[in-house]
Amino acid sequence: MPGNEVTNSIRRLRFDNGEMTQQELAERVGVTRQTIIAIESGKYMPSLPLAFKLARAFGKGVEEVFSFEDGRPQSPEKEAVGA
């Protein structure tokens, strides 16, 4: 769907975590180095289970590693009832 973009911060997180190599990350999550390269470059979208494994490898939540932009403004948080 045009306008939908998923980005990730895997490369930055690797360097923030002791300059972890692509190979080290791949071994931690059970994929090939080529898969990590493709994910970092945005050429491949990981499955949801792999996204969770990647996030856990850095001690982060999925939304701290992956971002989704669909061109729509974010909806405001709902106010608490009775507040």
Side-chain angles (χ1 to χ4, degrees):
M1 190 180 244
N4 292 340
E5 184 174 346
V6 176
T7 58
N8 71 73
S9 57
I10 293 172
R11 186 171 194 277
R12 180 183 53 78
L13 288 166
R14 283 193 304 104
F15 284 95
D16 290 349
N17 283 272
E19 297 189 17
M20 180 189 305
T21 67
Q22 291 168 331
Q23 184 64 43
E24 290 169 331
L25 179 57
E27 289 172 3
R28 284 190 187 189
V29 300
V31 298
T32 65
R33 184 178 63 84
Q34 289 78 12
T35 299
I36 299 300
I37 292 167
I39 293 169
E40 282 186 358
S41 67
K43 294 179 180 176
Y44 174 72
M45 287 299 124
S47 66
L48 192 53
L50 179 53
F52 275 101
K53 287 179 184 179
L54 288 163
R56 288 180 182 161
F58 298 114
K60 303 283 185 186
V62 173
E63 289 187 345
E64 294 176 275
V65 178
F66 296 92
S67 300
F68 175 70
E69 298 293 330
D70 64 0
R72 299 184 311 183
Q74 290 184 340
S75 54
E77 293 180 11
K78 294 182 180 179
E79 294 183 31
V81 176

